[in-house]
Amino acid sequence: MKPLPALSVYSASKAALNAFTESLALKAGLFDVRAKLVLPGSAPTTGFGKNASPGWA
């Protein structure tokens, strides 16, 4: 979860979704309901490394 200069909207969207999930978990917890957010990481593909777009490394 780190902001990337070339992907400001994407980074902001992920941060907003994380904050929403944390708030939802607190509220839903009152009813014994859990809320979880899965944040998958990157996978080493040809899109990364020397072929990566600026801001992706």
Side-chain angles (χ1 to χ4, degrees):
M1 301 247 333
K2 95 178 191 187
L4 300 169
L7 299 167
S8 58
V9 174
Y10 174 77
S11 297
S13 297
K14 280 188 98 162
L17 187 56
N18 188 45
F20 171 76
T21 304
E22 288 181 15
S23 296
L24 181 63
L26 290 172
K27 182 69 171 183
L30 299 173
F31 303 98
D32 294 325
V33 175
R34 294 181 185 175
K36 299 289 182 182
L37 178 63
V38 177
L39 297 170
S42 60
T45 66
T46 57
F48 290 91
K50 66 179 181 178
N51 299 320
S53 299
W56 288 78

